């Protein structure tokens, strides 16, 4: 039994059990919050357990500091002899890392019950355990060096601040931190080599810190030499980690999971549970866009990060010759009839969000409120939402007129005026010519007259350079045309 103000062996065992329970609960809670909802992929689990360190790391540091303070105050003049100096910190490391292993085991058991895409990266789990060990040893050294009652909470707060602030700093600091600074992108590969280098860096730093503390306590030169070797190992891991490119490509080509009817919808294999809802949302949009330059028959989920990087690269290369730009566009543009979509997760309403984002990309935002109001009527119909009345009387009349058309008439109307819709050229004359136009159309008898045939204009920037009618004058929607197989009229 140690002194009353110190810590007994039984008290240490009881504290270890409490720490394991707290770390396990916090680890599961933090990992669950990091998991991208409904993505069945092993990479998602690896990212989640590493992300759980933002809570378990500070708690582990505070627990190690608390034990160190109690041990130091129990025998301030007693110096452990030989290798006994490592018994206490190694016991704490076993407790902390054991809780991490328990967290991983529970998440893996849940994953085994479902069909997971991708592969489990053992080096990623090793990097997470190494990061947790670093915070534990840091807390132990802080508690031993400053045996004050306030040291444990300060160690926890300091570790939390370091864990949250470091990844948000410079890019090199974010790569060295035992955390992932960016949200998980299922299309972006997790490099086992990068995790291995990060593990070497973290283990080397942790070992160097622990051996340096032991050398300071015992005064053994051999321990100090071991600390120097650990520093070299940490430096090697850091150099290799910083030398790798930041963008990590997937180690294997991804094979889409697809639903083939009535249109083809393809998503990441980990998101295949959302195929039915996505298919229902985009089948309606595809039917309404039939016959326009934006017509499509295949939908593919793409990486939002990859698209943003490609956009930045295209912006930087605008000074190149027209031939080079055309060559790059030919290699990066999607095939005709294929449209990219972005699905970040599978939380409720994900299909509606993806569809709304796609519809918004069909026509750029208009510069005036008048043109934007007419554009909003068409985009609301494409999304399957109630037609907005708009802020101006012309918008209200246009919405009333458009809502009176049958579904087939709306599709014919869009085929006639898609050019004006895509270029913010819609106005009141496109929607029956206002109140007078509505009255004229309402009283027009079948066969009384035929509207003049509108001129045809080509729309640049769409697959196949399709041509569509683009008359800005009010015309009666043409009779319904036969719909492609699979699309309802």
């Amino acid at each position: 039994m140690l002194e009353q103000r110190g810590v007994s062996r039984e008290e240490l065992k009881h504290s270890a059990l409490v720490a394991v329970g707290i770390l396990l609960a916090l680890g599961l809670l933090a990992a669950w919050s990091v998991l991208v909802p409904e993505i069945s992929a092993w990479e998602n689990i690896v990212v989640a357990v590493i992300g759980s360190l933002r809570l378990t790391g500070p708690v582990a540091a505070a627990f190690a500091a608390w034990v160190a303070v109690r041990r130091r105050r129990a025998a301030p003049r007693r110096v452990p002899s030989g290798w006994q100096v490592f018994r206490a910190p190694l016991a704490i490391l076993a407790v902390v890392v054991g809780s991490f292993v328990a967290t991983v085991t529970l998440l893996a058991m849940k994953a085994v019950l479902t069909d997971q895409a991708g592969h489990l990266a053992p080096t990623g789990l090793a990097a997470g355990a190494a990061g947790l060990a670093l915070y534990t040893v840091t807390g132990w050294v802080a508690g031993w060096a400053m045996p004050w009652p306030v040291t444990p909470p300060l160690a926890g707060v300091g570790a939390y601040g370091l864990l949250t602030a470091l990844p948000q700093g410079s890019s090199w600091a974010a790569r060295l931190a035992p955390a992932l600074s960016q949200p998980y992108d299922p299309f972006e590969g997790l490099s086992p080599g990068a995790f291995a280098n990060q593990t070497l860096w973290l283990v080397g730093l942790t070992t160097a810190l622990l051996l340096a503390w032991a050398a300071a306590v015992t005064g053994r030169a051999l321990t100090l030499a071991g600390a120097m070797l650990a520093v070299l190992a940490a430096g090697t891991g850091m150099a290799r980690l910083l030398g790798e490119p930041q963008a990590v490509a997937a180690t294997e080509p991804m094979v889409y999971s697809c639903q083939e009817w009535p249109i083809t919808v393809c998503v990441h294999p980990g998101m295949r549970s959302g195929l039915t809802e996505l298919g229902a949302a985009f089948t309606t949009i595809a039917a309404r866009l039939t016959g326009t330059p934006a017509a499509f028959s295949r939908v593919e989920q793409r990486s939002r990060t990859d698209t943003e990087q490609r956009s930045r690269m295209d912006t930087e290369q605008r000074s190149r010759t027209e031939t080079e730009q055309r060559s790059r566009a030919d290699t990066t543009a999607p095939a005709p009839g294929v449209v990219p979509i972005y699905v970040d997760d599978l939380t409720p309403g994900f299909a509606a969000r993806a569809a709304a984002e796609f519809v918004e990309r069909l026509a750029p935002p208009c510069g005036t409120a008048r043109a934007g109001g007419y554009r909003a009527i068409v985009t609301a119909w494409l999304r399957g939402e109630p037609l907005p009345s708009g802020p101006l009387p012309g918008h209200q009349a246009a919405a009333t007129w458009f809502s009176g058309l049958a579904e087939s008439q709306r599709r014919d109307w869009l085929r006639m005026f898609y050019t004006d819709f895509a270029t913010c050229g819609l106005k009141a004359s496109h929607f029956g010519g206002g109140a007078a136009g509505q009255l004229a159309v309402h009283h027009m008898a079948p066969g009384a007259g035929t509207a003049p045939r509108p001129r045809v204009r080509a729309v640049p920037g769409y697959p196949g350079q399709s041509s569509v009618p683009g008359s800005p004058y009010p015309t009666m929607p043409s009779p319904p045309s036969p719909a492609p197989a699979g699309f309802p009229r």
Side-chain angles (χ1 to χ4, degrees):
M1 180 74 68
L2 300 176
E3 296 183 11
Q4 183 175 0
R5 62 178 180 175
V7 57
S8 66
R9 188 179 302 274
E10 294 299 325
E11 186 179 4
L12 183 59
K13 291 181 180 180
H14 178 72
S15 301
L17 293 176
V18 174
V20 168
I22 294 176
L23 289 172
L24 179 59
L26 289 178
L28 290 174
L29 177 63
W32 198 265
S33 66
V34 175
L35 280 171
V36 181
E38 302 300 329
I39 293 186
S40 301
W42 284 108
E43 293 84 357
N44 193 22
I45 295 177
V46 173
V47 171
V49 295
I50 295 178
S52 67
L53 266 62
R54 75 176 189 268
L55 289 182
T56 56
V59 173
F63 172 65
W66 175 80
V67 177
V69 168
R70 301 292 295 273
R71 292 295 294 268
R72 182 69 185 276
R73 295 179 65 187
R77 294 184 179 86
R78 181 183 176 184
V79 178
S81 59
W83 296 103
Q84 294 181 355
V85 70
F86 296 106
R87 291 181 59 183
L90 290 179
I92 298 173
L93 280 175
V95 170
V96 172
V97 175
S99 67
F100 179 82
V101 173
T103 302
V104 173
T105 301
L106 291 178
L107 291 176
M109 290 175 60
K110 174 185 176 297
V112 168
L113 298 177
T114 57
D115 186 14
Q116 298 290 307
H119 304 283
L120 181 65
T123 53
L125 302 180
L132 196 56
L134 174 60
Y135 284 101
T136 303
V137 172
T138 302
W140 170 267
V141 173
W144 189 275
M146 298 176 292
W148 309 326
V150 297
T151 300
L154 289 179
V157 173
Y160 182 81
L162 181 65
L163 187 63
T164 55
L166 191 58
Q168 298 177 0
S170 58
S171 58
W172 66 268
R175 303 184 72 182
L176 296 178
L180 295 175
S181 58
Q182 297 180 353
Y184 165 63
D185 184 352
F187 287 88
E188 186 174 312
L190 298 180
S191 172
F195 279 134
N197 293 332
Q198 189 177 36
T199 302
L200 179 61
W201 149 252
L202 294 173
V203 170
L205 182 60
T206 301
T207 305
L209 187 60
L210 184 60
L211 291 177
W213 164 80
V217 171
T218 62
R220 290 175 175 265
L222 184 60
T223 306
L224 184 59
M228 298 301 297
L229 292 176
V231 170
L232 292 177
T236 302
M238 178 179 65
R240 296 178 61 178
L241 185 61
L242 296 179
E244 293 186 354
Q246 290 196 14
V248 181
T251 56
E252 298 179 1
M254 190 198 64
V255 179
Y256 278 112
S257 292
C258 298
Q259 176 179 288
E260 301 293 341
W261 190 89
I263 63 173
T264 302
V265 180
C266 298
V267 298
H268 185 276
M271 293 186 171
R272 56 187 172 274
S273 60
L275 278 173
T276 301
E277 191 169 346
L278 286 171
F282 280 91
T283 295
T284 301
I285 297 177
R288 291 172 176 175
L289 291 176
T290 300
T292 70
F296 64 91
S297 59
R298 180 182 176 92
V299 175
E300 289 184 359
Q301 182 189 8
R302 299 288 178 84
S303 169
R304 192 183 299 273
T305 302
D306 180 66
T307 303
E308 292 174 354
Q309 291 175 352
R310 181 182 300 169
S311 177
R312 289 196 297 268
M313 292 174 63
D314 290 341
T315 303
E316 294 172 357
Q317 293 177 357
R318 285 179 181 174
S319 60
R320 294 187 176 183
T321 62
E322 183 178 357
T323 303
E324 292 175 297
Q325 289 180 347
R326 186 181 298 111
S327 175
R328 173 170 176 79
D330 292 341
T331 58
T332 59
V338 179
V339 296
I341 62 171
Y342 308 106
V343 183
D344 299 320
D345 52 50
L346 298 183
T347 54
F350 70 93
R353 292 192 296 269
E357 185 177 4
F358 167 73
V359 170
E360 286 297 317
R361 296 199 307 267
L362 294 176
C366 301
T368 63
R370 181 176 297 276
Y374 296 122
R375 171 187 178 274
I377 295 173
V378 182
T379 56
W381 167 62
L382 290 174
R383 292 194 301 263
E385 300 175 355
L387 303 184
S389 58
L392 303 177
H395 297 157
Q396 300 169 9
T400 302
W401 182 85
F402 198 73
S403 63
L405 299 181
E407 178 70 13
S408 59
Q409 291 177 315
R410 294 181 185 181
R411 297 177 189 176
D412 291 335
W413 180 94
L414 183 61
R415 282 191 284 270
M416 296 173 64
F417 299 120
Y418 187 85
T419 303
D420 301 292
F421 162 67
T423 57
C424 287
L426 293 178
K427 46 191 175 182
S429 58
H430 291 82
F431 297 87
Q438 295 178 44
L439 185 62
V441 170
H442 180 73
H443 290 285
M444 182 181 296
T450 304
R453 182 177 180 83
R455 65 181 180 274
V456 174
R457 295 185 293 177
V459 184
Y462 290 97
Q465 297 291 312
S466 304
S467 299
V468 293
S471 172
Y473 303 102
T475 57
M476 186 66 179
S478 59
S481 57
F487 290 127
R489 293 295 297 178

